[in-house]
Amino acid sequence: LIVHRLDQGTSGLMVMARSAAMQRALSQAFATRTVAKRYIAIVAGRLEAPAEAWGVIDLPIVADWPNRPLRIVDHATGKPSVTRWRVLGHDAAGSCTRVELEPVTGRSHQLRVHLRELGHPILGDTLYAPPAVQAMAARLLLHASALRFEHPETGEQLAFESPPPF
């Protein structure tokens, strides 16, 4: 049974449960934000590293009802949305940056919206990137690379990693 979902086009780790009881328990862990998630993305442009080891994007997100499934930043009606990020490297030409992302909250399209708001949309993003950035990759370059959580029944700490295919 599926426990959580990834945006269409996002590759990487997903959690499945083998029983309805485990699905409920694991879904609750995601809902209460006790699951640590990390993503890797390649974004347009040279994104400079934050002054601290990790930067924070704190922008409220809401559904863009006339343009669903899109989301927008809206300081009046948006739900709190926080993403931690750090730079992993730049390409030689300075045309793109590899970043690691840690969503603190779990809003739909959060990582994609937050990076677009920074002025560095994800390569291949057909929803939030301008056409030139969409064309820089054949697919969305966003990958769920790591998950850490406690097994709901045994209490064992579990950690899973998947390197990005890009």
Side-chain angles (χ1 to χ4, degrees):
L1 303 169
I2 295 173
V3 173
H4 72 112
R5 64 176 192 80
L6 296 174
D7 286 351
Q8 185 174 358
T10 301
S11 58
L13 296 168
M14 287 188 60
V15 177
M16 304 268 199
R18 292 172 49 174
S19 72
M22 282 298 112
Q23 181 190 34
R24 284 189 298 277
L26 288 166
S27 294
Q28 182 66 19
F30 275 89
T32 59
R33 301 182 182 124
T34 59
V35 176
K37 301 176 280 188
R38 294 273 174 98
Y39 292 76
I40 303 294
I42 299 181
V43 301
R46 185 176 180 87
L47 179 58
E48 293 302 329
E52 302 295 320
W54 288 83
V56 175
I57 307 166
D58 185 356
L59 296 169
I61 297 174
V62 66
D64 184 2
W65 285 105
N67 300 302
R68 284 181 305 170
L70 296 180
R71 306 288 194 258
I72 57 172
V73 169
D74 186 320
H75 293 279
T77 62
K79 293 182 180 179
S81 304
V82 177
T83 301
R84 289 173 19 96
W85 64 278
R86 68 182 181 137
V87 170
L88 297 177
H90 303 95
D91 71 329
S95 63
C96 57
T97 304
R98 180 177 292 264
V99 294
E100 185 172 19
L101 306 162
E102 182 179 84
V104 177
T105 54
R107 308 286 175 227
S108 291
H109 301 181
Q110 175 178 317
L111 302 175
R112 298 160 74 177
V113 171
H114 277 172
L115 288 163
R116 179 201 60 200
E117 290 297 311
L118 283 186
H120 297 276
I122 300 173
L123 274 54
D125 190 342
T126 58
L127 290 177
Y128 297 101
V133 175
Q134 289 178 31
M136 292 174 74
R139 57 158 289 208
L140 176 66
L141 297 188
L142 179 62
H143 182 80
S145 61
L147 287 171
R148 289 188 327 272
F149 57 92
E150 183 178 290
H151 189 285
E153 189 172 279
T154 67
E156 178 185 0
Q157 291 296 317
L158 303 173
F160 302 94
E161 292 189 15
S162 169
F166 49 81

